[in-house]
Amino acid sequence: MEDLRKRFYEKAKILFDDQVYETWIKPVSIEITDNSCQVITPNQFFRDWLEENYFEQIKNIIISLLDKEIQVYLTVSKSKKILISPSERLHPDLIQRYTFENFIKGKSNEFAYAAAKAVVDNLGGLYNPLLIYSNVGLGKTHLIMAIGHEVYRKYPDKKVVYYSSERFMNELISSIRFEKMHEFREKFRTVDLLLIDDIQFISGKTATQEEFFNTFNSLYESKKQIVITSDKFPKQLQNIEDRLKNRFEWGLTVDIQPPEYETRIAILKNKASYHNIDLPDEIAEFIATHICSNIREMEGALIKLLAYSSLTKKILDLSLAKEIPKDFIPEEENTLTVEQIQKTVSEYFQIKLTDLKSQKKLKTISIPRQIAIYLSRKYTQLSLNDIGNKFGGKDHSTVIHSINKIKKLIETEDNIKKHIDNIEKMLTKNR
Ligand code: ADP
Ligand code: MG
């Protein structure tokens, strides 16, 4: 048991960023019994944040260490438990908090919200499939799960299945491997409501698209409801077959825009009150002013603040907000801009600024570009999409790819690490 714990932390340390590891993994403890495992967190904010951000990975680590399927639960350390009234029927695959009640409506999302509600009242009707698209962190998963919760609650006989398209693919692969395709098909073709999150993930995955296409047709023909989310407008999804994209447009396609200021404030207040905390206006305003384009990041800032104040017993006020945000809200005078980073990187490598933003694949250009993207992520608060835009309109998966690539190179190639150290020194000097 001790040994297992040790291996868990070792593995997690490798898998997560240092900062994530220190803040979110180190403070949890692990209890394992014969057929279940509890991941114990210091308080409720912590639990929710883990559930929504790192729980999948934590589960995977535990399962890989035990080498068997085991139920993994997130719990709150007994002394810190706060009460949240449980709703009557909870679907095991849906995040508890992602309900319509907890979804704040504003101009940016009202159409998507109305469509989601309409689907609940008219399953398999006119809005089939419903496709919701938006940039990351704007409420797609929340809304698609809200549909799931509501149908699950209202219609006990209906079979509700929520899958990320990634999990759909993984299960497909293992079903093929273990000759369980029959069960796989049976499972998906007998649902009343199929919720598929983040469809963009199956781009380029031909076999998965084929199987999903067949699932789609079979459900559609029997008038079963399908809801899909995507990080792009369907037509702009690359490497997804046209016949599939066509079908996505048979029903209704709605988008979610970044929330306006008032909605951001309302979301923060709602999130705090969910935890029985009365959030001072000045703090809500402070956070809503600094983070605009990603609700997840905004909530992350709030949660950190709540967790920090509850762990240190310090009063939740603006001075506290200004005290801890260093790693999530940049202090104005210390903020680096993407432009400064681009300029410094291109000077350092002696390449043209326009090349840095180009599509050129030449290594002497692509490596500096990826380093600049990596540093932009590290030192600015911009979203992946915003960073992509500043590099000549790259999409967010390209940005993620660059960041991950450089992270790896830093560990394996000393000279890359040296370059980055040098550039970071230049950046602090020029600040
Ligand atoms: P996406 O799937 O688009 O990346 P999520 O659904 O995961 O985004 O949302 C990110 C976070 O923002 C979640 O914690 C979610 O509850 C919250 N959120 C998004 N939109 C709203 C909203 N309108 N009201 C309340 N919370 C929201
Ligand atoms: Mg999502």
Side-chain angles (χ1 to χ4, degrees):
M1 177 72 194
E2 261 322 301
D3 178 50
L4 205 80
R5 280 207 187 99
K6 218 175 111 214
R7 283 194 292 146
F8 170 79
Y9 292 109
E10 282 167 4
K11 207 157 175 189
K13 203 163 176 170
I14 300 172
L15 259 137
F16 291 102
D17 269 8
D18 286 351
Q19 196 219 331
V20 172
Y21 179 81
E22 290 295 324
T23 320
W24 300 108
I25 309 298
K26 225 167 134 194
V28 304
S29 54
I30 307 260
E31 286 292 336
I32 300 174
T33 57
D34 279 352
N35 46 18
S36 78
C37 171
Q38 280 190 53
V39 177
I40 306 167
T41 60
N43 57 45
Q44 187 70 33
F45 321 123
F46 211 105
R47 198 209 84 93
D48 288 356
W49 183 248
L50 274 190
E51 177 178 37
E52 288 163 28
N53 292 280
Y54 306 116
F55 192 40
E56 274 306 309
Q57 285 132 295
I58 292 177
K59 261 197 273 194
N60 289 341
I61 297 177
I62 294 171
I63 290 170
S64 76
L65 287 177
L66 293 171
D67 204 22
K68 63 173 180 190
E69 279 287 327
I70 175 171
Q71 284 289 337
V72 184
Y73 299 98
L74 269 177
T75 58
V76 176
S77 148
K78 285 216 179 61
S79 54
K80 297 276 172 51
K81 207 156 198 157
I82 61 164
L83 278 177
I84 291 177
S85 60
S87 2
E88 322 94 77
R89 253 164 65 82
L90 283 176
H91 188 293
D93 289 333
L94 301 176
I95 292 175
Q96 191 178 335
R97 194 176 58 79
Y98 287 4
T99 57
F100 282 121
E101 293 80 19
N102 288 325
F103 191 85
I104 304 290
K105 281 152 285 169
K107 266 214 186 66
S108 53
N109 59 33
E110 61 187 352
F111 189 34
Y113 176 87
K117 277 281 199 185
V119 158
V120 173
D121 294 330
N122 194 1
L123 286 176
L126 215 49
Y127 304 147
N128 198 21
L130 173 65
L131 188 138
I132 306 170
Y133 74 97
S134 80
N135 280 346
V136 65
L138 293 181
K140 294 183 295 293
T141 300
H142 189 138
L143 212 46
I144 198 175
M145 285 193 175
I147 299 174
H149 278 302
E150 189 94 343
V151 171
Y152 193 72
R153 232 185 267 164
K154 265 191 168 164
Y155 312 105
D157 320 327
K158 299 236 185 262
K159 184 170 164 193
V160 175
V161 168
Y162 167 89
Y163 264 59
S164 67
S165 74
E166 182 175 10
R167 187 166 157 217
F168 182 87
M169 181 183 85
N170 291 338
E171 225 170 275
L172 173 67
I173 293 172
S174 83
S175 304
I176 295 173
R177 226 176 99 205
F178 298 110
E179 295 178 3
K180 293 220 164 110
M181 270 316 284
H182 180 71
E183 283 92 332
F184 182 85
R185 293 207 165 114
E186 193 58 27
K187 170 170 179 180
F188 284 100
R189 293 181 195 178
T190 51
V191 308
D192 297 291
L193 170 62
L194 178 63
L195 307 165
I196 296 287
D197 207 355
D198 289 322
I199 194 74
Q200 73 277 358
F201 185 83
I202 65 170
S203 57
K205 316 276 177 9
T206 326
T208 308
Q209 289 182 33
E210 170 79 27
E211 186 59 30
F212 185 65
F213 181 75
N214 295 331
T215 307
F216 184 105
N217 288 341
S218 141
L219 290 176
Y220 188 86
E221 274 156 28
S222 38
K223 294 209 178 341
K224 305 297 186 192
Q225 179 71 42
I226 302 158
V227 184
I228 298 167
T229 71
S230 160
D231 72 350
K232 289 195 190 57
F233 183 66
K235 279 217 169 57
Q236 277 158 6
L237 283 166
Q238 277 166 9
N239 300 320
I240 290 199
E241 292 172 44
D242 285 341
R243 56 177 186 166
L244 208 48
K245 286 196 256 187
N246 271 337
R247 277 171 172 65
F248 294 165
E249 289 175 26
W250 280 357
L252 179 66
T253 301
V254 292
D255 71 335
I256 306 178
Q257 290 296 321
E260 49 290 345
Y261 181 74
E262 292 73 19
T263 313
R264 297 205 292 280
I265 298 274
I267 290 173
L268 286 166
K269 293 232 155 187
N270 175 266
K271 179 93 180 178
S273 83
Y274 179 81
H275 293 291
N276 297 322
I277 287 183
D278 191 18
L279 186 67
D281 288 345
E282 53 178 24
I283 294 192
E285 286 160 15
F286 180 73
I287 298 175
T289 314
H290 281 82
I291 307 178
C292 322
S293 56
N294 184 324
I295 299 175
R296 175 173 300 288
E297 280 177 13
M298 197 174 73
E299 287 186 343
L302 174 67
I303 290 290
K304 273 193 187 171
L305 192 62
L306 296 180
Y308 185 74
S309 122
S310 113
L311 290 173
T312 59
K313 309 218 164 19
K314 288 190 181 168
I315 299 169
L316 189 62
D317 62 9
L318 196 57
S319 66
L320 185 73
K322 288 187 171 157
E323 182 182 326
I324 63 153
K326 287 171 198 73
D327 57 340
F328 67 92
I329 298 176
E331 289 171 52
E332 291 304 329
E333 56 276 18
N334 281 339
T335 312
L336 278 170
T337 62
V338 172
E339 287 74 16
Q340 281 168 308
I341 292 169
Q342 288 172 331
K343 188 162 167 280
T344 310
V345 171
S346 62
E347 273 170 20
Y348 180 85
F349 287 105
Q350 308 223 323
I351 61 172
K352 282 195 243 130
L353 206 54
T354 43
D355 280 344
L356 204 65
K357 301 181 197 174
S358 70
Q359 312 285 345
K360 291 186 185 160
K361 293 216 161 62
L362 216 65
K363 233 182 166 175
T364 48
I365 292 173
S366 69
I367 294 283
R369 179 188 307 129
Q370 287 166 336
I371 289 179
I373 290 177
Y374 166 83
L375 292 171
S376 300
R377 183 60 172 174
K378 187 164 169 191
Y379 290 108
T380 75
Q381 291 297 310
L382 293 187
S383 69
L384 296 168
N385 275 309
D386 289 341
I387 294 175
N389 284 334
K390 298 211 178 238
F391 282 83
K394 311 227 163 13
D395 64 16
H396 92 281
S397 59
T398 311
V399 174
I400 292 181
H401 171 78
S402 305
I403 295 167
N404 288 339
K405 178 152 174 214
I406 296 300
K407 275 190 191 158
K408 254 190 223 134
L409 287 180
I410 290 175
E411 306 212 319
T412 52
E413 306 217 359
D414 284 346
N415 65 332
I416 293 280
K417 187 165 174 344
K418 223 176 254 144
H419 287 321
I420 292 180
D421 284 347
N422 291 339
I423 295 167
E424 287 182 326
K425 276 195 202 113
M426 285 167 70
L427 284 169
T428 30
K429 253 197 238 144
N430 294 346
R431 201 173 261 188

